[in-house]
Amino acid sequence: MKINTKCVQAGYTPKNGEPRVLPIIQSTTYKYESSEQMGRLFDLEESGYFYTRLQNPTNDAVAAKIAALEGGVGAMLTSSGQAANFFAIFNICSAGDHLVSSAAIYGGTFNLIGVTLKKLGIDCTFVSPDATYEELCAAVKDNTKCFFAETISNPSLDVLDIEKFAKAAHDNGVPLIVDNTFPTPINCRPFEFGADIVTHSTTKYMDGHATSVGGVIVDGGKFDWTQNDKFPGLTTPDDSYHGITYTDSFGSAAYITKATTQLMRDLGSIAAPQNAFLLNLGLETLFLRVERHCSNAQKVAEFLEKNDMVSWVNYPGLPGNKYYDLAKKYMPNGTCGVISFGVKGGREAATKFMDSLKLAAIVTHVADARTCVLHPASTTHRQLNDEQLEAAGVNSDLIRLSVGIEDVEDIIEDIQQALEKAKA
């Protein structure tokens, strides 16, 4: 099936007489005829459901759909995108370990990696997304366990050279984890360029309607965890599961099986079945909405580029953009619906512009059907100092505009009238 069809059909195939629409299994527990059978489930000798904290049929169907869209061997839904990134890293990193991360990532993820994981004994070296192969390798230490980056960074819109990061990671015996939230698998499939694990905040384009917070981890299934001794959690017996070794028992799905049966069991950041159901509704129209988001954003970016009240515009789809060529390589059909730009007159003019918008709303959210706007330096990234803001590519005058799927002429008209008021 083509990816557009997978959005609608993948993950759930009803049998004769079963509901055509994916049902919500709103149950914490599942009944079995014998304790022996349930024991086999707990020993991972059989597949099945025994407690929704680990797995749920509704959640699993949606996870299977996303795995199909990304081209992975398996996936696990989480309660948020932050939980997905934490689980993705913590599944292979423990106290005393180290990772290499692009500095141009979402502010909350920057804080997760740079502050919270450090409290758990996991250190990080942040690098420029434009670092050379040699600079990436120089950041690696003996205890490095993974590389982490975003395909399109939020909100600086840097486009990742996936192949370069993947080569640096693989040449040093570690996997590349990529957050693919902004392009979605409709516009970019990181596994095809060497990434090993993909995460998403499904709260964004995948849900698409600002109804449900969620995340997902997708396992590409191609990384060889046994090539060195860096990943004992996957390649040596797990005493908490009667000595099972994930790479021996689950092969290419070892990573995602461990994440589900061990981390989700112990930390419990499971997605609610109701939220998974709503996410599935969003996924069914993802390919339609992403195309509209991108076409609208392209026209808005071109309008902003010509406006004398705008000091700069950053959108990978503009021919003069720094990342235009990389975007065409990795995302030939479009990037995302998010634009960043600056308004002449500094922070005061930017504030007046945002307060004058009528169609576009000032919200923390990004990447849903409605056009919205935000000033990241004073909101999502306010925990970062000036040096960290610069490293993350977030100027103090940066306005993040998430272009929705409304009629583009209405969006541009709203921006035009707000810019005129900001000039006054």
Side-chain angles (χ1 to χ4, degrees):
M1 292 187 292
K2 302 291 190 299
I3 195 167
N4 297 2
T5 304
K6 290 179 182 178
C7 284
V8 180
Q9 296 284 353
Y12 171 67
T13 304
K15 297 172 184 171
N16 188 48
E18 292 184 341
R20 182 61 191 92
V21 175
L22 175 67
I24 304 170
I25 308 301
Q26 194 65 46
S27 178
T28 62
T29 51
Y30 307 86
K31 177 185 178 295
Y32 288 92
E33 296 297 332
S34 72
S35 57
E36 180 183 354
Q37 184 181 11
M38 183 168 282
R40 290 196 295 271
L41 296 176
F42 274 89
D43 286 343
L44 304 183
E45 294 174 356
E46 287 186 12
S47 60
Y49 301 96
F50 51 89
Y51 200 61
T52 282
R53 187 176 76 240
L54 280 85
Q55 289 179 288
N56 171 281
T58 306
N59 293 14
D60 283 0
V62 181
K65 174 176 286 190
I66 296 173
L69 294 177
E70 284 286 8
V73 297
M76 179 183 77
L77 297 188
T78 61
S79 57
S80 69
Q82 283 292 87
N85 284 333
F86 172 66
F87 276 38
I89 295 169
F90 198 57
N91 199 36
I92 50 176
C93 292
S94 57
D97 288 338
H98 170 264
L99 70 143
V100 177
S101 173
S102 169
I105 54 177
Y106 167 60
T109 310
F110 189 100
N111 198 70
L112 166 67
I113 294 173
V115 178
T116 302
L117 285 180
K118 189 169 287 188
K119 293 177 182 178
L120 298 175
I122 301 170
D123 198 13
C124 177
T125 298
F126 287 102
V127 296
S128 167
D130 303 325
T132 64
Y133 169 82
E134 290 74 20
E135 288 169 335
L136 293 175
C137 291
V140 175
K141 301 180 181 181
D142 290 341
N143 58 342
T144 300
K145 294 297 180 69
C146 66
F147 276 52
F148 180 88
E150 294 177 358
T151 41
I152 299 179
S153 59
N154 177 11
S156 59
L157 303 180
D158 294 2
V159 176
L160 183 71
D161 190 339
I162 304 171
E163 290 182 341
K164 179 177 66 178
F165 268 68
K167 178 172 172 54
H170 296 162
D171 286 351
N172 287 280
V174 300
L176 170 62
I177 302 172
V178 171
D179 184 327
N180 195 35
T181 296
F182 269 13
T184 81
I186 303 302
N187 283 343
C188 182
R189 286 158 57 94
F191 293 143
E192 296 176 359
F193 302 102
D196 302 290
I197 307 297
V198 166
T199 65
H200 288 268
S201 170
T202 61
T203 318
K204 310 304 189 298
Y205 287 119
M206 283 190 167
D207 169 81
H209 301 84
T211 62
S212 309
V213 175
V216 68
I217 304 170
V218 188
D219 184 354
K222 293 181 179 178
F223 188 80
D224 181 7
W225 304 102
T226 65
Q227 64 181 282
N228 52 46
D229 59 358
K230 285 180 174 288
F231 309 102
L234 289 164
T235 61
T236 61
D238 181 356
D239 292 337
S240 71
Y241 269 117
H242 308 292
I244 197 169
T245 300
Y246 294 100
T247 49
D248 289 346
S249 297
F250 302 102
S252 63
Y255 174 93
I256 200 66
T257 302
K258 178 179 180 291
T260 303
T261 59
Q262 187 190 82
L263 291 190
M264 192 60 78
R265 174 198 65 188
D266 295 345
L267 298 175
S269 297
I270 194 70
Q274 176 73 49
N275 283 2
F277 173 83
L278 293 171
L279 169 58
N280 188 60
L281 292 181
L283 289 169
E284 289 181 353
T285 60
L286 181 64
F287 66 97
L288 294 171
R289 291 183 289 102
V290 165
E291 182 179 3
R292 180 60 173 261
H293 280 293
C294 290
S295 65
N296 278 0
Q298 184 69 32
K299 292 172 185 174
V300 170
E302 291 169 357
F303 162 78
L304 290 170
E305 195 174 36
K306 297 173 184 175
N307 194 289
D308 60 5
M309 263 300 290
V310 176
S311 53
W312 58 271
V313 182
N314 180 23
Y315 185 66
L318 292 174
N321 185 269
K322 175 181 179 181
Y323 295 105
Y324 180 78
D325 290 338
L326 272 182
K328 286 299 181 184
K329 174 182 178 179
Y330 293 117
M331 306 160 209
N333 297 321
T335 55
C336 66
V338 181
I339 302 168
S340 59
F341 65 98
V343 175
K344 290 180 180 177
R347 185 173 295 204
E348 183 178 345
T351 301
K352 193 171 183 181
F353 162 75
M354 292 194 297
D355 291 348
S356 300
L357 290 165
K358 298 177 181 178
L359 182 150
I362 301 173
V363 299
T364 305
H365 194 45
V366 66
D368 75 30
R370 293 161 285 267
T371 298
C372 56
V373 67
L374 190 71
H375 182 244
S378 61
T379 53
T380 57
H381 286 63
R382 69 180 298 126
Q383 74 271 27
L384 306 186
N385 58 37
D386 290 343
E387 184 177 303
Q388 290 171 326
L389 283 172
E390 184 178 351
V394 181
N395 300 331
S396 60
D397 66 340
L398 184 152
I399 293 173
R400 183 183 72 184
L401 177 68
S402 178
V403 180
I405 60 173
E406 305 94 343
D407 190 292
V408 70
E409 292 184 8
D410 290 333
I411 299 171
I412 290 174
E413 184 179 337
D414 186 40
I415 295 170
Q416 177 67 54
Q417 64 86 22
L419 287 172
E420 290 173 358
K421 289 179 181 175
K423 189 193 318 186

